[in-house]
Amino acid sequence: MLQTNLVPSLDPNPLPAPYWLLKALLIATFTFHIVAMNLMLGGGVVALLTRWRAKDREVSKRMFHDIAKKIPILLPATISLGIAPLLFVQVLYGQFFYTSSILMAWPWFLVLVLLTVAYYGFYYVSYESGQDTRRAGAVMYLSVLLVFLIGFLFTNNITLSQTPARWGAKYFASAGGWHLNLSEPTLIPRYLHFFVAAVAVGGLLLVFMAWANWKRDRVYAGQLLSFGGKTFLYATMTQFVVGIVFLFTLPLDKRMLFMGSDPVATGLFLVGVVGGLASIFLMSHAVQQENIRLAGIGVPAITACVIVAMSIMRDILRDAYLKPYYDPSKIPVQTQTSVLALFLGLFVCGVVVWVVMLWRYGMFDGKAAAAPKSPAGGAQPE
Ligand code: HEM
């Protein structure tokens, strides 16, 4: 078949570790990447939403400033945590990922440019937002838009990488490397699914900030909980609509994986649906009762389970798309035990260092955010 022949041949080097282990590491590191991305992009969107919050301008300013200070930390976290899945994707799916990256070479290269400009923008806003100038708001809009575009390019690349049947028509129409995957029916719902999830997790960022301020500044913490909790609620409700549209744009055989034909995929789908409903119910209770423990531990714990389930589902879906072209049992494996042990040791140390770093930096409390230059509203620390 023509489309089968278009898939480059497998890298002759054997895999340096068992397939299942590389796969598990791909899913784990992708999950870390996507959580950091959600906090960063969602945080940016929520910061912009605070500007529309007409209730109390001073509190809105303060929230905007406090979030803006965190984004220049979350963006490099997203990038660093993206490198690990990039390596695993190249090892496991290189022949697909490289081809799609070449087909969309110029937009793909643009990711670096967009990233650099967005990064500058976020830094600018983090220094200027204390003044709450209009320019800081405009730059925040621009940076969020650029990051939004980067995510869209990623979804183009991933969907193109798993549909080799489209490659030939694109390449022979033009070999200039300007292709996207806009004719893919799942593209927009799939990307919206990521984007809406980011906004919900951005709401959780405010809930964490509320928790960190709970004892020191109860009034402000209550305002953060209310705004963050409601953002989470509305975004997660919207997700049910977006998720259903995404499910129904999938080809029938792929959709059925999550609706009974594959017990693992169906189980994970149920975890997602039940987890989503439970998080809506619990967050609305937590906001009404001002229950910060429920909002700051219970709901994020459920959300983490949903994100892990969705990451595994995403991988099952990729394998279903690539089934006609890819047989993992044929890939030679030659485990390099010493290198693998070294990698796993460093990986665990890296995760521990990250957690300690975030903790010591005071990611969610006021330590990461310098005091605004102009006095902002809300209760003062006790
Ligand atoms: C900073 C802006 C970024 C955003 C908003 C973003 C967003 C996303 C999204 C939405 C996906 C999922 C696409 C899909 O499955 O449809 C994704 C996947 C991915 N991202 Fe990022 N990303 C960003 C930066 C990066 C960077 C800088 C790297 C690498 C250094 C990276 C590495 C990856 C990899 C390797 C995957 C695919 C993993 C897989 O296929 O299993 N990302 N990203």
Side-chain angles (χ1 to χ4, degrees), residues 56-63 65-66 129-132 217 220 370-381:
D56 185 335
R57 289 256 162 243
E58 286 305 308
V59 177
S60 302
K61 259 192 204 178
R62 187 176 173 188
M63 285 183 187
H65 173 78
D66 283 354
S129 64
Q131 322 267 27
D132 196 37
D217 190 347
Y220 180 51
K373 287 177 192 164
S374 58
Q380 293 305 310

Side-chain angles (χ1 to χ4, degrees), residues 213-219 379-382:
N213 281 285
W214 202 248
K215 287 211 175 105
R216 272 183 309 178
D217 190 347
R218 185 69 172 69
V219 176
Q380 293 305 310
E382 290 159 7

